[in-house]
Amino acid sequence: KMGISLVLAGLLSLCCLSLCQDCNTELLENVDFPGADITNLSSPDANHCQLLCTQHPSCLFFTFIRADWTADDRNFFCYIKSTASGQPSERAPLQGVTSGFSLKPCSPNARPCLSDVYQNVDFFGADYRALFTADYEECQRTCTQEPTCQFFTFVDGDSAAEKFRYKCHLKFSYTAPRIQTVQRTAGVISGFSQNIQISQFFEPACQGQLLINTNIPGNDIENLPAASPGHCLALCSVHPLCTFFSYVSNDFRCFLKNNLNELVIQTQQGVTSGIPARFCQLDNSWLKEAHEGVDFQGSDIRNEPMDNADTCQRTCTADPNCQFYTFTTNNFAFQDFRLRCFLKRAITMPAPPKITKQQNVVSGFSLRSCL
Protein backbone atom coordinates (compact mmCIF):
# COMPACT_ATOMS: atom_id res chain seq x y z
CA LYS A 1 0.00 0.00 0.00
CA MET A 2 2.90 2.35 0.71
CA GLY A 3 4.13 1.83 -2.88
CA ILE A 4 0.72 2.68 -4.33
CA SER A 5 0.49 5.73 -2.06
CA LEU A 6 3.85 7.02 -3.26
CA VAL A 7 2.83 6.54 -6.90
CA LEU A 8 -0.38 8.46 -6.33
CA ALA A 9 1.49 11.21 -4.53
CA GLY A 10 3.83 11.51 -7.50
CA LEU A 11 0.87 11.75 -9.86
CA LEU A 12 -0.67 14.51 -7.78
CA SER A 13 2.58 16.48 -7.78
CA LEU A 14 2.59 16.40 -11.58
CA CYS A 15 -1.13 16.93 -12.09
CA CYS A 16 -1.02 20.50 -13.40
CA LEU A 17 1.90 20.12 -15.82
CA SER A 18 -0.24 19.46 -18.91
CA LEU A 19 -2.43 22.44 -18.01
CA CYS A 20 0.33 24.82 -16.88
CA GLN A 21 2.58 24.55 -19.96
CA ASP A 22 2.44 27.18 -22.69
CA CYS A 23 1.95 26.17 -26.32
CA ASN A 24 5.49 25.99 -27.72
CA THR A 25 5.82 24.70 -31.31
CA GLU A 26 9.50 25.64 -31.78
CA LEU A 27 11.94 22.96 -32.93
CA LEU A 28 15.53 23.49 -31.75
CA GLU A 29 18.04 22.10 -34.25
CA ASN A 30 21.35 20.81 -32.92
CA VAL A 31 20.15 21.24 -29.32
CA ASP A 32 19.97 18.28 -26.93
CA PHE A 33 17.80 17.97 -23.84
CA PRO A 34 20.05 15.52 -21.91
CA GLY A 35 18.54 12.96 -19.54
CA ALA A 36 14.98 12.75 -18.19
CA ASP A 37 14.15 9.92 -20.65
CA ILE A 38 10.88 8.01 -20.20
CA THR A 39 11.38 5.79 -23.25
CA ASN A 40 12.46 5.96 -26.88
CA LEU A 41 10.29 5.40 -29.95
CA SER A 42 10.94 5.45 -33.70
CA SER A 43 10.26 8.51 -35.87
CA PRO A 44 11.27 9.50 -39.40
CA ASP A 45 11.67 13.20 -38.52
CA ALA A 46 11.41 15.72 -35.70
CA ASN A 47 7.83 16.70 -36.54
CA HIS A 48 6.63 13.12 -36.21
CA CYS A 49 8.62 12.77 -32.97
CA GLN A 50 6.91 15.88 -31.61
CA LEU A 51 3.51 14.37 -32.42
CA LEU A 52 4.48 11.13 -30.68
CA CYS A 53 5.50 13.17 -27.64
CA THR A 54 2.16 14.97 -27.82
CA GLN A 55 0.20 11.70 -27.81
CA HIS A 56 2.37 9.96 -25.21
CA PRO A 57 0.60 10.52 -21.87
CA SER A 58 3.72 11.51 -19.89
CA CYS A 59 5.87 13.28 -22.47
CA LEU A 60 6.53 17.00 -22.00
CA PHE A 61 9.55 17.42 -24.30
CA PHE A 62 11.79 15.31 -26.53
CA THR A 63 15.08 14.95 -28.39
CA PHE A 64 15.13 13.39 -31.87
CA ILE A 65 18.23 11.78 -33.44
CA ARG A 66 18.19 12.81 -37.10
CA ALA A 67 19.29 10.89 -40.22
CA ASP A 68 22.51 12.98 -40.39
CA TRP A 69 23.65 11.83 -36.92
CA THR A 70 26.98 9.97 -37.25
CA ALA A 71 28.18 9.22 -33.69
CA ASP A 72 26.44 5.80 -33.61
CA ASP A 73 23.50 3.93 -35.17
CA ARG A 74 20.70 5.62 -33.20
CA ASN A 75 19.29 7.44 -36.24
CA PHE A 76 15.54 8.00 -36.03
CA PHE A 77 15.39 7.54 -32.24
CA CYS A 78 12.77 9.74 -30.60
CA TYR A 79 13.54 10.20 -26.89
CA ILE A 80 10.38 10.87 -24.88
CA LYS A 81 11.15 12.97 -21.78
CA SER A 82 9.61 14.55 -18.69
CA THR A 83 10.65 16.40 -15.53
CA ALA A 84 8.74 17.54 -12.44
CA SER A 85 9.16 21.17 -13.54
CA GLY A 86 7.92 20.46 -17.07
CA GLN A 87 11.11 21.93 -18.52
CA PRO A 88 14.42 20.32 -19.51
CA SER A 89 17.02 20.69 -16.78
CA GLU A 90 19.72 21.37 -19.37
CA ARG A 91 20.08 22.43 -23.00
CA ALA A 92 23.32 21.37 -24.69
CA PRO A 93 24.60 21.95 -28.24
CA LEU A 94 24.82 18.66 -30.16
CA GLN A 95 25.07 18.11 -33.92
CA GLY A 96 22.55 15.77 -35.52
CA VAL A 97 19.68 16.15 -33.04
CA THR A 98 16.52 18.25 -32.83
CA SER A 99 14.61 18.93 -29.62
CA GLY A 100 11.24 20.41 -28.82
CA PHE A 101 8.12 20.30 -26.66
CA SER A 102 4.84 18.43 -26.48
CA LEU A 103 1.93 20.10 -28.27
CA LYS A 104 -0.59 18.99 -25.63
CA PRO A 105 -1.28 22.63 -24.62
CA CYS A 106 -1.88 23.53 -28.29
CA SER A 107 -5.19 21.58 -28.77
CA PRO A 108 -3.57 19.24 -31.32
CA ASN A 109 -5.33 17.37 -34.12
CA ALA A 110 -6.03 13.80 -32.99
CA ARG A 111 -5.44 12.57 -36.56
CA PRO A 112 -2.54 14.62 -37.94
CA CYS A 113 -1.85 14.78 -41.67
CA LEU A 114 1.51 13.06 -42.36
CA SER A 115 2.19 13.88 -46.01
CA ASP A 116 6.01 13.66 -46.16
CA VAL A 117 7.75 10.72 -47.84
CA TYR A 118 11.22 9.51 -46.91
CA GLN A 119 13.77 8.41 -49.51
CA ASN A 120 16.17 5.62 -48.53
CA VAL A 121 14.32 5.08 -45.24
CA ASP A 122 12.72 1.76 -44.28
CA PHE A 123 9.75 1.52 -41.93
CA PHE A 124 10.79 -1.93 -40.75
CA GLY A 125 8.19 -4.43 -39.52
CA ALA A 126 4.43 -4.19 -38.89
CA ASP A 127 3.66 -5.64 -42.36
CA TYR A 128 0.25 -7.16 -42.94
CA ARG A 129 0.14 -7.35 -46.77
CA ALA A 130 2.40 -6.84 -49.77
CA LEU A 131 1.72 -6.26 -53.46
CA PHE A 132 3.57 -4.90 -56.47
CA THR A 133 3.00 -1.32 -57.65
CA ALA A 134 4.56 0.79 -60.40
CA ASP A 135 5.95 3.43 -58.01
CA TYR A 136 5.77 4.67 -54.44
CA GLU A 137 2.90 7.03 -55.29
CA GLU A 138 0.72 4.07 -56.23
CA CYS A 139 1.84 2.28 -53.06
CA GLN A 140 0.82 5.32 -50.99
CA ARG A 141 -2.53 5.55 -52.79
CA THR A 142 -3.18 1.89 -51.99
CA CYS A 143 -2.31 2.48 -48.34
CA THR A 144 -4.60 5.51 -48.25
CA GLN A 145 -7.52 3.51 -49.68
CA GLU A 146 -7.13 0.63 -47.20
CA PRO A 147 -8.69 1.56 -43.82
CA THR A 148 -6.23 -0.56 -41.81
CA CYS A 149 -3.05 0.69 -43.53
CA GLN A 150 -1.23 3.37 -41.54
CA PHE A 151 2.15 3.50 -43.33
CA PHE A 152 4.15 1.78 -46.07
CA THR A 153 7.57 1.00 -47.51
CA PHE A 154 8.12 0.68 -51.27
CA VAL A 155 11.15 -1.02 -52.87
CA ASP A 156 12.07 0.86 -56.05
CA GLY A 157 13.30 -0.46 -59.40
CA ASP A 158 17.00 0.16 -58.61
CA SER A 159 17.11 -2.10 -55.56
CA ALA A 160 19.92 -4.66 -55.46
CA ALA A 161 17.35 -7.24 -54.36
CA GLU A 162 15.93 -7.79 -57.84
CA LYS A 163 13.08 -10.10 -56.90
CA PHE A 164 11.71 -7.52 -54.45
CA ARG A 165 11.74 -4.55 -56.84
CA TYR A 166 8.45 -2.62 -57.04
CA LYS A 167 7.17 -4.36 -53.91
CA CYS A 168 4.80 -2.31 -51.74
CA HIS A 169 4.65 -3.30 -48.07
CA LEU A 170 1.47 -2.16 -46.31
CA LYS A 171 1.82 -1.71 -42.55
CA PHE A 172 -0.33 -1.34 -39.47
CA SER A 173 -0.44 0.33 -36.05
CA TYR A 174 -3.42 0.66 -33.70
CA THR A 175 -5.88 3.53 -34.15
CA ALA A 176 -8.06 2.29 -31.27
CA PRO A 177 -6.86 3.18 -27.75
CA ARG A 178 -5.08 0.41 -25.86
CA ILE A 179 -5.02 0.35 -22.06
CA GLN A 180 -1.88 -0.77 -20.24
CA THR A 181 -3.66 -2.69 -17.49
CA VAL A 182 -7.32 -3.30 -16.63
CA GLN A 183 -8.06 -4.71 -13.19
CA ARG A 184 -10.76 -4.89 -10.55
CA THR A 185 -10.32 -2.25 -7.82
CA ALA A 186 -12.88 -1.19 -5.23
CA GLY A 187 -13.90 2.46 -5.18
CA VAL A 188 -13.16 3.39 -8.80
CA ILE A 189 -15.18 3.96 -11.98
CA SER A 190 -13.56 3.97 -15.44
CA GLY A 191 -14.71 4.81 -18.94
CA PHE A 192 -13.94 6.45 -22.26
CA SER A 193 -14.15 9.82 -23.98
CA GLN A 194 -17.24 10.13 -26.16
CA ASN A 195 -15.19 11.76 -28.93
CA ILE A 196 -13.01 8.79 -29.85
CA GLN A 197 -13.33 7.99 -33.55
CA ILE A 198 -12.19 4.44 -34.29
CA SER A 199 -12.73 4.31 -38.06
CA GLN A 200 -12.71 7.12 -40.61
CA PHE A 201 -15.49 8.46 -42.86
CA PHE A 202 -17.22 5.17 -43.66
CA GLU A 203 -21.01 5.03 -43.70
CA PRO A 204 -23.34 3.69 -42.52
CA ALA A 205 -22.86 2.86 -38.86
CA CYS A 206 -22.48 -0.85 -38.21
CA GLN A 207 -22.07 -3.42 -35.47
CA GLY A 208 -19.91 -6.49 -35.33
CA GLN A 209 -21.34 -9.84 -34.27
CA LEU A 210 -21.09 -10.75 -30.57
CA LEU A 211 -21.54 -14.35 -29.37
CA ILE A 212 -22.28 -14.44 -25.61
CA ASN A 213 -20.85 -17.30 -23.48
CA THR A 214 -18.96 -18.54 -26.50
CA ASN A 215 -15.24 -19.21 -26.98
CA ILE A 216 -13.35 -19.57 -30.25
CA PRO A 217 -10.30 -21.61 -29.19
CA GLY A 218 -6.84 -21.23 -30.69
CA ASN A 219 -5.57 -19.17 -33.64
CA ASP A 220 -4.38 -16.34 -31.32
CA ILE A 221 -2.28 -13.57 -32.89
CA GLU A 222 -2.37 -11.07 -30.00
CA ASN A 223 -3.55 -10.85 -26.39
CA LEU A 224 -4.48 -7.36 -25.13
CA PRO A 225 -6.14 -5.82 -22.07
CA ALA A 226 -9.64 -4.55 -22.86
CA ALA A 227 -12.47 -3.05 -20.83
CA SER A 228 -15.38 -4.89 -22.46
CA PRO A 229 -16.41 -7.10 -25.40
CA GLY A 230 -17.16 -3.90 -27.35
CA HIS A 231 -13.66 -2.58 -26.74
CA CYS A 232 -12.25 -5.94 -27.85
CA LEU A 233 -14.42 -5.82 -30.98
CA ALA A 234 -13.04 -2.36 -31.79
CA LEU A 235 -9.44 -3.60 -31.39
CA CYS A 236 -10.17 -6.53 -33.70
CA SER A 237 -11.95 -4.32 -36.24
CA VAL A 238 -8.94 -2.04 -36.73
CA HIS A 239 -6.44 -4.93 -36.97
CA PRO A 240 -6.03 -6.10 -40.58
CA LEU A 241 -5.25 -9.71 -39.62
CA CYS A 242 -7.99 -10.20 -37.01
CA THR A 243 -10.76 -12.45 -38.37
CA PHE A 244 -12.51 -13.00 -35.00
CA PHE A 245 -11.84 -12.66 -31.25
CA SER A 246 -12.64 -13.98 -27.79
CA TYR A 247 -12.94 -11.79 -24.70
CA VAL A 248 -12.52 -13.20 -21.17
CA SER A 249 -14.48 -11.01 -18.75
CA ASN A 250 -12.85 -12.16 -15.50
CA ASP A 251 -9.36 -11.27 -16.73
CA PHE A 252 -10.28 -8.34 -19.04
CA ARG A 253 -8.27 -10.07 -21.80
CA CYS A 254 -8.95 -9.67 -25.52
CA PHE A 255 -7.63 -12.51 -27.71
CA LEU A 256 -7.35 -11.47 -31.35
CA LYS A 257 -7.38 -14.43 -33.72
CA ASN A 258 -6.72 -15.24 -37.35
CA ASN A 259 -8.11 -18.12 -39.38
CA LEU A 260 -9.45 -17.49 -42.87
CA ASN A 261 -10.60 -21.08 -43.35
CA GLU A 262 -12.89 -21.95 -40.45
CA LEU A 263 -14.53 -20.65 -37.28
CA VAL A 264 -15.01 -23.28 -34.57
CA ILE A 265 -17.01 -22.25 -31.49
CA GLN A 266 -17.64 -23.85 -28.10
CA THR A 267 -19.86 -22.88 -25.17
CA GLN A 268 -17.95 -21.27 -22.29
CA GLN A 269 -19.30 -19.10 -19.49
CA GLY A 270 -17.68 -15.68 -19.04
CA VAL A 271 -16.30 -15.55 -22.57
CA THR A 272 -17.73 -13.39 -25.37
CA SER A 273 -16.52 -13.96 -28.91
CA GLY A 274 -17.23 -12.04 -32.05
CA ILE A 275 -16.61 -11.05 -35.63
CA PRO A 276 -15.22 -7.60 -36.49
CA ALA A 277 -16.95 -4.86 -38.45
CA ARG A 278 -15.22 -3.69 -41.63
CA PHE A 279 -15.58 -0.74 -44.05
CA CYS A 280 -18.12 1.14 -41.96
CA GLN A 281 -18.43 3.54 -39.04
CA LEU A 282 -18.14 1.21 -36.06
CA ASP A 283 -20.95 1.50 -33.51
CA ASN A 284 -19.61 3.39 -30.48
CA SER A 285 -22.12 2.34 -27.82
CA TRP A 286 -19.31 0.61 -25.88
CA LEU A 287 -17.72 4.03 -25.30
CA LYS A 288 -20.74 5.11 -23.23
CA GLU A 289 -20.34 2.34 -20.65
CA ALA A 290 -19.06 3.28 -17.18
CA HIS A 291 -17.21 0.38 -15.54
CA GLU A 292 -17.68 0.35 -11.77
CA GLY A 293 -14.96 -1.33 -9.74
CA VAL A 294 -12.63 -1.36 -12.76
CA ASP A 295 -9.32 0.53 -12.85
CA PHE A 296 -7.62 1.60 -16.09
CA GLN A 297 -4.09 1.69 -14.71
CA GLY A 298 -1.31 3.89 -16.13
CA SER A 299 -1.29 6.23 -19.14
CA ASP A 300 -2.17 9.28 -16.99
CA ILE A 301 -2.00 12.72 -18.59
CA ARG A 302 -3.02 14.50 -15.38
CA ASN A 303 -5.56 14.30 -12.55
CA GLU A 304 -7.95 16.77 -10.99
CA PRO A 305 -10.25 16.88 -7.94
CA MET A 306 -13.82 16.18 -9.06
CA ASP A 307 -17.23 15.53 -7.46
CA ASN A 308 -18.46 12.55 -9.48
CA ALA A 309 -17.75 10.13 -12.31
CA ASP A 310 -20.16 11.81 -14.76
CA THR A 311 -18.22 15.07 -14.49
CA CYS A 312 -14.98 13.13 -14.95
CA GLN A 313 -16.36 11.54 -18.13
CA ARG A 314 -17.48 14.93 -19.48
CA THR A 315 -14.07 16.43 -18.65
CA CYS A 316 -12.34 13.65 -20.56
CA THR A 317 -14.67 14.08 -23.54
CA ALA A 318 -14.04 17.86 -23.61
CA ASP A 319 -10.25 17.42 -23.53
CA PRO A 320 -8.85 16.58 -27.01
CA ASN A 321 -5.89 14.84 -25.35
CA CYS A 322 -8.02 12.48 -23.22
CA GLN A 323 -9.23 9.07 -24.47
CA PHE A 324 -10.19 7.29 -21.23
CA TYR A 325 -10.33 7.94 -17.49
CA THR A 326 -10.54 6.48 -13.98
CA PHE A 327 -12.45 8.24 -11.20
CA THR A 328 -11.82 7.48 -7.50
CA THR A 329 -14.99 7.50 -5.38
CA ASN A 330 -15.54 8.08 -1.65
CA ASN A 331 -15.00 4.34 -1.16
CA PHE A 332 -11.47 4.36 -2.61
CA ALA A 333 -8.94 2.74 -0.24
CA PHE A 334 -6.67 5.78 0.01
CA GLN A 335 -8.60 8.62 1.62
CA ASP A 336 -6.25 11.38 0.44
CA PHE A 337 -6.87 10.42 -3.19
CA ARG A 338 -10.65 10.10 -3.19
CA LEU A 339 -12.81 12.11 -5.60
CA ARG A 340 -10.12 12.56 -8.24
CA CYS A 341 -10.41 12.22 -12.02
CA PHE A 342 -7.41 10.63 -13.75
CA LEU A 343 -7.38 11.58 -17.44
CA LYS A 344 -5.55 9.16 -19.72
CA ARG A 345 -4.55 8.44 -23.32
CA ALA A 346 -2.49 6.15 -25.57
CA ILE A 347 -0.65 6.74 -28.84
CA THR A 348 -3.05 6.17 -31.74
CA MET A 349 -1.25 8.00 -34.56
CA PRO A 350 0.76 5.97 -37.13
CA ALA A 351 3.90 4.78 -35.34
CA PRO A 352 6.42 2.51 -37.15
CA PRO A 353 8.03 0.11 -34.65
CA LYS A 354 11.52 0.51 -36.18
CA ILE A 355 13.06 2.85 -38.75
CA THR A 356 16.39 2.28 -40.51
CA LYS A 357 18.42 3.63 -43.41
CA GLN A 358 18.01 1.48 -46.55
CA GLN A 359 19.00 2.33 -50.10
CA ASN A 360 16.39 2.27 -52.86
CA VAL A 361 13.30 2.24 -50.68
CA VAL A 362 10.71 4.95 -50.03
CA SER A 363 8.50 5.08 -46.94
CA GLY A 364 5.56 7.21 -45.92
CA PHE A 365 2.11 7.34 -44.38
CA SER A 366 -1.50 6.96 -45.38
CA LEU A 367 -3.00 10.26 -46.52
CA ARG A 368 -6.53 9.59 -45.19
CA SER A 369 -6.11 12.26 -42.53
CA CYS A 370 -5.07 14.77 -45.21
CA LEU A 371 -8.24 14.41 -47.29
Side-chain angles (χ1 to χ4, degrees), residues 207-228:
Q207 295 179 333
Q209 178 69 42
L210 291 178
L211 308 171
I212 309 302
N213 293 326
T214 300
N215 185 31
I216 305 175
N219 303 299
D220 296 356
I221 57 172
E222 199 162 356
N223 173 4
L224 301 168
S228 66

Side-chain angles (χ1 to χ4, degrees), residues 42 77 82 98 109 193 228 233 248 286:
S42 294
F77 276 38
S82 180
T98 298
N109 186 345
S193 165
S228 66
L233 187 152
V248 183
W286 62 276

